[in-house]
Amino acid sequence: QSELVRGRRMHASVVPSHHKKEKGGLSRLWSAAVETITGHREEEDYLIYITKRLIICPVSAPPDTAAAESHKKKLRASVARLQRDHGEHFLVWNMTRPDKALVSPKDFGMQVLDVTNFPLYVPTLHFTFDFCNMIRYWLKQDPLNVAVILYEDAVGQPHVDPMRMAINDESRVAYLVSAFLAYSNETKTAFDALDIVTDLRGPASEVAVPSQTLYYRYIDDISGHGFSNTEAISLDCIFVHTIPLLANNGQCKPVLEITCNGVAVKLDERYTSIRHPKHQNFSPKDEIMVFESLGATVWGDVVISCYHVNMGFVAKEANKIEGRMGSKKTPEHLPIFRICFHVGFLQPGGQMQRLKKQDLDFACDAPTSTKDLDKGSETLALLGDFSVDLVFQRATEGAAGEEGTEKNDTTIATELEEFIFPSDFSGLSNISEMHVVKPSNEYLFLITEYLRLQKSQDPKRADVNEKVREWVLKRCNNKLDPAISMLEKMPSLQDELVRMEDRFYILGFPWKHGRTPANEGMDNALKRLKDEMGGKFLVWNLSGEDKFDYVKFDHQVINWDLSEGMPGLGKMMEICHSMRYWLRVCSDRDQVLVLLVNELEDSGKQRQMVLSGKARAALVYSCFRALDDFHRDYKDFGGGSSQAALDVGFKKNTTVAQSLFEFGRKRNLKDNDMEDILQVPSFKRLANDFDINIKTGLQNLLPIVMMRIFVQRNHSGEGVRRVDAGIKAQPNIPIFGEDRNEGGVHVRGCRPVVEVVNQGRVVYSTLLQQSKPTFFDEKEHEVMNFTLAAPGTQGVTILGDVMITCYHVEIKSDQMPGLTSPGYNEDTVDKKIIFRYCFHTGFVPATPFRRTISELDVLPSDLLPTGAIVPDDLMVDFVVAPPASSDIDAGSSEQKVSLFPKFDRCIEDMSALHAVDADSKKVEALENRDVDPKVAVFALQRTNNDFEQAYLMHSNFRLDDDDVDMSLDQSSEAASRRGSIKGASNISSGIPGGLGSRGNTGR
């Protein structure tokens, strides 16, 4: 019952309490502020600002000549205001019915999308997410862009029109606006967004029917969990308990109608026509109506409607004649109930779902007795215990789809999933298809020739998709020069294969919950990848923490998990060296490297300071470019002469920052976007350390001991990152919550814990200690201090990549985690990041050091929890010291960052992270043919365990021979040139810090 009933009871007949109460009026304040600034009043035009970039425009149908003149005046005022305040940066979604002709595209300068498929009832999830994705794509293209939703004003009209089986425009548009606000993380839930809309538009925007409430829930469920089912199911039977009561005490003549994704499902005619000889009428004494052996295979959005046929054929014809003569028409059908749901939220296989009267559209508002019907009423009554049972079975293989076509589970799963993910390609495609301007064929040809000429002059120039060429002409109203100018400035599509240089591509598209994404843009990119490169490509998945079925990539994927935050120097060297091995060492010079990134915009990950897909691609490309340029003239991978390798004249000193802006230019991203990425303190620090490391190596090769951490204010700043109403003074410590002091008084402050991660492994956490974390009161504490030393130790010894995070924790249960339990988990604490500091021990001194807030990673104010404050003058003191000589392992006293790593280490790294598991028996068989076991494993992975192909391929992968000693000599000589490291000639390869060592990678 829960899958279909959950949340249905919030509809117009019983307005939910959270809609009845007075709001804080934020939306009204915003709208009033806009009116004050612009000098406009609400009655002067149709525009209503939901947010500063999302506008609704409800236009009224003029009933007479005077009203028509007023309508034209307000429409002109609306357009003038858009042009004055937003210039050419607006785009109109026209949701009005074409037959009403309330507006003309010319009124808005032809910058109009005709949404002709706007559902009259509850918009399907497919339509909803396509709509949200179009607006997301449009707003993403330029920070000045605004979206305008134009629709017919329905304030004062009924929520539902039973004659048309339609919900009024206000309620449907409110649903779409609420879905977008939740989809884009403007609000926490879709119902929170609905509060904003109803605050501006009134009760007409509220939920109209129970099914609409269910779809509000779907929006939030998809964001949090995705679909629970991607298989088709078969609707076998429908049982209707109790018979509808008619005003004339006649028999009920029911007919069924089922649609799947807007397409009618073929049913036995005895259930769809009263003229069929086997059609059955029902009287109240029958108690139950049965529709059996339906055999309706459904997937996606499903609508089940049941009507009472109000008249036969003769009466129907007479009714038409009366209607033409101006008499009031009698409805041909009376709705008994309607059910709207999505198969993706049911459980797979056989099941029964029961829906009570209050859970059913139309039925929920029906009176319980014919006595309550108005005299002469054409409606019907339903008893209070009226209910409907839906009986489902697992769909058979090759089940009939729409119009008799066959669909397998893979096809259906694709159709269910493809619209969830915010695809740039589908967003642009839908916008282009709906745009009212038709592109000129002559100008399309000229743009194609222009791009061909540009490509001939610059072979590295990225290809431009046909959809993009059409869009720029439509957007520029078929003006050629502005279209070409716009084309040059457009960012590359996320789900498009972008060529960065020879044999190096980037492919970004969104996915979530480990589900294989599906959209046209990705399919086109993969087709190009396979057609042009055959089996020569290998994918570096930089979002490897969220794996999916890699069948579309022929399983040729290496998964790199970068979900813990900013990757360390060692991890970046490991990734970049594996990329250089693939492109520079392997003897097959037709091999192609593809960086795959997840472009899903997830505010939850942002709050955990996890790098976005764009930032990951930018970081890896920039570091690789700097490393590869520095050694570009080396023969192969550093196997040239020692003198050539050490000659500075052979090196190209490209910095990571320079490569970052090159990345932005190749993807047509704005310099501001790249500057924002580079301003993240840990990103800037990693880029700087990477540049130094590849040129001169580390400055400190020994471990350090972290003893204590002090967090306090510098007392020189005057602002706060977030100031709520009533807060005037800056607090002494970060404010993230409240607690009771010993006197029982509520006090503000935070309950901080410190977590130290070294080489991917947690080496210290306050939550793993015996005592409960202390709550720091802002009035009683000015310094938050943490002692990291365990009994009998100096502190925590760290070496290599380090990430120190200070969290505020809320205790969820009385059972505190600690040494008596396996450790904390998400059920016992709720963690919010206060600050984070990432570094490599090779670039910090073994003496106490201080970091100010400009050197710490702190969330921006819009991502902080409500009411949270981080002082702008926060600073952190780290008390560190060199380790005692007895604590230094003789075998690991120094680190080696491998500028020229061993080839076998690179191939081991790629094998360990490859999506294919090599067949152990085939590995042994290849070893018997004198193939190195490391090469045997990787060759089998590359060929999906094809033994003969693996044997033919194995010679492509080189291992270390004489190059090993030369590489070590070069690394040692580079270290001696720094003149600051003793004993560099004895560098060990067994210590973390570079590709030459795995260390504690947490793999």
Side-chain angles (χ1 to χ4, degrees):
Q1 181 180 356
S2 61
E3 287 85 357
L4 285 181
V5 176
R6 183 161 50 98
R8 280 179 167 268
R9 293 181 178 82
M10 294 173 62
H11 57 87
S13 60
V14 181
V15 179
S17 59
H18 76 285
H19 287 166
K20 291 180 179 179
K21 66 184 180 181
E22 287 295 324
K23 307 295 171 197
L26 290 178
S27 51
R28 288 189 181 279
L29 286 174
W30 168 254
S31 187
V34 171
E35 291 170 8
T36 300
I37 293 170
T38 60
H40 273 76
R41 295 193 303 275
E42 184 177 352
E43 62 271 13
E44 291 182 351
D45 59 40
Y46 288 121
L47 303 182
I48 299 174
Y49 283 74
I50 301 296
T51 69
K52 62 182 179 180
R53 303 185 67 194
L54 181 62
I55 307 166
I56 59 174
C57 183
V59 296
S60 304
D64 50 43
T65 305
E69 188 60 35
S70 175
H71 163 69
K72 291 179 181 178
K73 181 178 180 182
K74 293 183 73 172
L75 188 61
R76 286 194 298 268
S78 301
V79 176
R81 183 178 176 189
L82 285 172
Q83 292 174 340
R84 188 195 65 212
D85 295 347
H86 304 290
E88 298 179 349
H89 292 279
F90 69 88
L91 191 61
V92 178
W93 273 255
N94 181 14
M95 319 290 282
T96 61
R97 289 161 54 192
D99 59 327
K100 294 214 171 180
L102 296 178
V103 296
S104 168
K106 293 181 180 179
D107 294 333
F108 292 93
M110 302 301 287
Q111 293 309 309
V112 176
L113 309 183
D114 265 345
V115 188
T116 56
N117 60 337
F118 188 21
L120 291 176
Y121 206 64
V122 179
T124 64
L125 284 184
H126 204 305
F127 178 89
T128 301
F129 278 88
D130 277 349
F131 178 84
C132 293
N133 189 32
M134 283 191 291
I135 294 182
R136 179 202 68 87
Y137 176 77
W138 167 247
L139 298 183
K140 174 186 172 184
Q141 296 313 296
D142 194 304
L144 297 178
N145 284 356
V146 297
V148 182
I149 303 174
L150 177 74
Y151 66 97
E152 184 178 353
D153 190 336
V155 172
Q157 298 180 12
H159 273 85
V160 182
D161 181 355
M163 290 283 289
R164 294 172 55 230
M165 296 295 286
I167 296 174
N168 75 16
D169 287 30
E170 290 287 348
S171 186
R172 286 180 292 142
V173 169
Y175 164 75
L176 293 176
V177 170
S178 301
F180 175 75
L181 294 179
Y183 170 92
S184 57
N185 297 304
E186 292 278 351
T187 60
K188 188 174 182 181
T189 68
F191 277 116
D192 291 342
L194 178 60
D195 287 341
I196 295 175
V197 181
T198 54
D199 193 37
L200 287 169
R201 296 297 293 158
S205 299
E206 290 178 350
V207 175
V209 292
S211 291
Q212 200 175 15
T213 301
L214 187 64
Y215 271 67
Y216 272 95
R217 301 292 186 195
Y218 284 165
I219 299 299
D220 299 330
D221 287 348
I222 286 177
S223 176
H225 312 290
F227 287 133
S228 57
N229 172 45
T230 56
E231 299 177 0
I233 58 176
S234 177
L235 178 60
D236 188 55
C237 299
I238 298 177
F239 299 98
V240 181
H241 298 278
T242 75
I243 309 302
L245 306 175
L246 302 175
N248 59 5
N249 295 322
Q251 287 187 320
C252 179
K253 294 176 282 190
V255 292
L256 274 182
E257 180 183 279
I258 301 176
T259 62
C260 179
N261 302 312
V263 178
V265 176
K266 188 176 181 180
L267 299 174
D268 192 314
E269 196 173 349
R270 60 178 165 158
Y271 298 133
T272 61
S273 172
I274 63 170
R275 303 182 69 183
H276 192 276
K278 290 187 178 181
H279 180 273
Q280 184 178 357
N281 297 339
F282 296 90
S283 61
K285 65 179 182 181
D286 292 323
E287 296 185 354
I288 188 171
M289 297 191 297
V290 179
F291 305 89
E292 60 184 353
S293 302
L294 295 173
T297 300
V298 294
W299 63 94
D301 293 284
V302 180
V303 179
I304 302 174
S305 304
C306 182
Y307 307 94
H308 162 68
V309 178
N310 206 29
M311 58 188 68
F313 177 76
V314 176
K316 189 185 300 184
E317 292 301 313
N319 188 45
K320 290 180 181 178
I321 295 173
E322 291 178 2
R324 286 196 293 267
M325 296 176 63
S327 302
K328 180 180 179 181
K329 291 181 63 176
T330 303
E332 299 174 8
H333 294 80
L334 296 179
I336 300 173
F337 67 83
R338 173 171 277 189
I339 305 167
C340 304
F341 63 94
H342 196 286
V343 173
F345 294 93
L346 297 178
Q347 296 302 316
Q351 58 197 288
M352 187 190 83
Q353 299 285 340
R354 169 164 291 180
L355 296 102
K356 298 180 180 179
K357 179 181 177 182
Q358 61 265 36
D359 305 320
L360 299 164
D361 299 355
F362 299 106
C364 61
D365 294 322
T368 57
S369 170
T370 55
K371 295 179 181 179
D372 300 323
L373 295 175
D374 296 333
K375 188 176 181 180
S377 171
E378 299 296 341
T379 59
L380 46 78
L382 300 174
L383 297 177
D385 56 352
F386 181 85
S387 63
V388 176
D389 292 339
L390 306 178
V391 180
F392 297 97
Q393 292 184 354
R394 185 178 296 277
T396 58
E397 284 293 325
E402 55 192 61
E403 299 180 359
T405 59
E406 291 191 351
K407 293 181 179 289
N408 56 36
D409 283 345
T410 302
T411 306
I412 292 168
T414 298
E415 292 181 355
L416 290 176
E417 295 286 349
E418 65 180 351
F419 58 88
I420 297 179
F421 304 105
S423 159
D424 275 6
F425 185 89
S426 61
L428 180 141
S429 298
N430 290 333
I431 287 178
S432 182
E433 288 171 6
M434 291 183 179
H435 203 285
V436 295
V437 175
K438 302 301 180 185
S440 163
N441 291 329
E442 291 82 2
Y443 284 172
L444 275 176
F445 173 77
L446 290 175
I447 286 181
T448 303
E449 288 300 298
Y450 167 80
L451 292 173
R452 185 184 62 79
L453 179 62
Q454 294 292 315
K455 185 80 171 180
S456 65
Q457 296 175 354
D458 180 11
K460 295 184 178 181
R461 183 186 176 95
D463 295 327
V464 178
N465 190 281
E466 181 183 358
K467 296 284 186 182
V468 178
R469 300 198 295 269
E470 291 180 356
W471 162 244
V472 295
L473 275 176
K474 291 183 175 187
R475 177 62 184 155
C476 297
N477 288 331
N478 280 319
K479 296 176 182 177
L480 186 60
D481 288 344
I484 291 177
S485 177
M486 179 180 174
L487 193 66
E488 296 290 350
K489 298 175 183 177
M490 277 192 66
S492 301
L493 299 181
Q494 287 179 347
D495 42 355
E496 187 175 44
L497 193 63
V498 180
R499 181 181 180 276
M500 303 300 289
E501 55 190 70
D502 290 339
R503 302 165 58 207
F504 194 131
Y505 292 81
I506 290 180
L507 175 60
F509 56 87
W511 74 89
K512 197 174 184 180
H513 310 304
R515 299 188 186 278
T516 305
N519 59 64
E520 187 181 356
M522 189 192 75
D523 290 342
N524 289 344
L526 290 175
K527 184 176 184 299
R528 180 183 164 203
L529 195 64
K530 293 179 181 179
D531 290 349
E532 295 183 10
M533 302 153 204
K536 301 287 189 178
F537 67 88
L538 186 59
V539 177
W540 268 246
N541 179 12
L542 301 183
S543 302
E545 65 273 10
D546 194 7
K547 302 177 180 64
F548 57 89
D549 186 358
Y550 298 126
V551 64
K552 291 189 175 183
F553 294 100
D554 294 330
H555 301 286
Q556 294 308 308
V557 179
I558 297 174
N559 290 299
W560 296 93
D561 185 349
L562 305 180
S563 63
E564 296 301 322
M566 189 66 62
L569 177 63
K571 174 67 73 72
M572 286 309 303
M573 295 294 290
E574 196 174 348
I575 294 173
C576 293
H577 279 313
S578 68
M579 294 165 64
R580 293 196 70 236
Y581 177 87
W582 176 253
L583 291 176
R584 306 288 182 250
V585 176
C586 297
S587 57
D588 187 348
R589 294 310 169 93
D590 292 327
Q591 290 180 164
V592 173
L593 185 149
V594 181
L595 289 185
L596 172 67
V597 290
N598 189 345
E599 296 281 5
L600 189 71
E601 296 161 5
D602 190 339
S603 61
K605 288 189 175 182
Q606 292 177 24
R607 291 187 177 92
Q608 296 302 316
M609 294 188 179
V610 177
L611 284 179
S612 67
K614 179 173 68 175
R616 295 184 193 196
L619 174 63
V620 172
Y621 174 81
S622 303
C623 289
F624 170 78
R625 184 74 280 134
L627 178 65
D628 196 51
D629 280 354
F630 190 72
H631 304 297
R632 173 168 290 185
D633 294 324
Y634 294 175
K635 184 180 179 182
D636 292 329
F637 200 58
S641 68
S642 178
Q643 180 63 36
L646 292 174
D647 188 348
V648 177
F650 280 83
K651 300 167 184 173
K652 183 179 179 182
N653 291 318
T654 303
T655 67
V656 173
Q658 290 170 339
S659 299
L660 184 69
F661 287 96
E662 178 188 349
F663 170 88
R665 286 189 291 273
K666 288 184 176 181
R667 297 210 67 184
N668 286 345
L669 300 173
K670 295 180 174 63
D671 284 350
N672 290 342
D673 293 337
M674 299 298 99
E675 289 172 358
D676 290 344
I677 294 175
L678 195 57
Q679 290 309 307
V680 176
S682 56
F683 193 107
K684 183 189 296 185
R685 187 177 305 110
L686 174 59
N688 182 66
D689 292 350
F690 195 92
D691 288 334
I692 296 173
N693 180 61
I694 62 176
K695 295 175 177 63
T696 62
L698 302 179
Q699 299 170 359
N700 171 41
L701 299 181
L702 299 177
I704 62 175
V705 179
M706 183 73 65
M707 304 168 67
R708 301 187 71 180
I709 298 175
F710 296 92
V711 182
Q712 58 190 313
R713 286 180 58 197
N714 197 0
H715 295 291
S716 60
E718 296 180 354
V720 293
R721 299 188 66 82
R722 184 183 183 94
V723 180
D724 288 347
I727 300 176
K728 296 181 179 180
Q730 183 163 341
N732 291 321
I733 58 174
I735 303 297
F736 272 75
E738 291 185 349
D739 199 7
R740 291 180 181 271
N741 61 16
E742 295 180 357
V745 178
H746 280 282
V747 293
R748 299 189 315 157
C750 62
R751 191 186 305 277
V753 300
V754 165
E755 182 179 87
V756 181
V757 177
N758 184 203
Q759 297 293 100
R761 182 172 61 90
V762 177
V763 294
Y764 175 84
S765 174
T766 310
L767 288 169
L768 298 179
Q769 310 309 307
Q770 288 282 14
S771 58
K772 180 178 179 179
T774 303
F775 186 88
F776 285 80
D777 177 358
E778 64 164 331
K779 295 181 179 179
E780 300 293 332
H781 297 86
E782 293 187 355
V783 179
M784 302 189 304
N785 61 85
F786 306 90
T787 301
L788 278 62
T793 66
Q794 277 186 294
V796 178
T797 301
I798 51 179
L799 180 66
D801 294 315
V802 181
M803 181 172 68
I804 299 176
T805 307
C806 180
Y807 297 97
H808 162 75
V809 296
E810 294 286 351
I811 309 302
K812 293 183 179 180
S813 66
D814 295 333
Q815 181 183 2
M816 269 302 301
L819 295 179
T820 58
S821 63
Y824 67 89
N825 57 63
E826 300 303 326
D827 294 329
T828 56
V829 297
D830 183 18
K831 301 189 297 183
K832 300 290 189 297
I833 296 179
I834 300 175
F835 70 83
R836 175 172 285 169
Y837 179 58
C838 304
F839 64 97
H840 193 285
T841 57
F843 294 96
V844 297
T847 57
F849 60 91
R850 169 175 291 177
R851 295 293 179 259
T852 62
I853 195 168
S854 62
E855 300 169 292
L856 304 171
D857 293 342
V858 180
L859 288 173
S861 59
D862 59 329
L863 291 178
L864 284 173
T866 303
I869 305 172
V870 178
D872 276 344
D873 54 357
L874 191 75
M875 66 180 184
V876 182
D877 292 321
F878 298 93
V879 180
V880 300
S885 56
S886 58
D887 293 336
I888 301 177
D889 187 345
S892 61
S893 59
E894 293 177 336
Q895 304 180 72
K896 167 180 173 289
V897 170
S898 181
L899 300 181
F900 305 97
K902 295 184 177 181
F903 298 157
D904 58 353
R905 179 60 67 190
C906 294
I907 206 169
E908 280 183 0
D909 288 334
M910 292 191 291
S911 290
L913 301 175
H914 201 284
V916 176
D917 292 326
D919 187 318
S920 58
K921 293 183 179 179
K922 293 181 179 180
V923 172
E924 293 179 7
L926 286 174
E927 289 184 60
N928 293 334
R929 291 194 182 187
D930 296 327
V931 178
D932 185 276
K934 300 184 186 70
V935 174
V937 170
F938 190 59
L940 285 168
Q941 290 174 319
R942 282 288 298 147
T943 58
N944 290 315
N945 284 309
D946 186 317
F947 179 81
E948 293 301 329
Q949 288 297 321
Y951 182 72
L952 293 174
M953 182 184 288
H954 84 276
S955 60
N956 184 38
F957 308 116
R958 295 174 53 187
L959 292 178
D960 297 285
D961 293 310
D962 297 336
D963 295 330
V964 177
D965 295 334
M966 182 213 65
S967 297
L968 289 173
D969 290 343
Q970 289 170 344
S971 182
S972 300
E973 191 165 342
S976 65
R977 282 189 287 115
R978 293 193 303 269
S980 60
I981 302 174
K982 297 181 179 179
S985 58
N986 297 320
I987 289 178
S988 168
S989 63
I991 293 302
L995 187 60
S997 168
R998 284 186 178 278
N1000 266 323
T1001 60
R1003 189 173 294 125

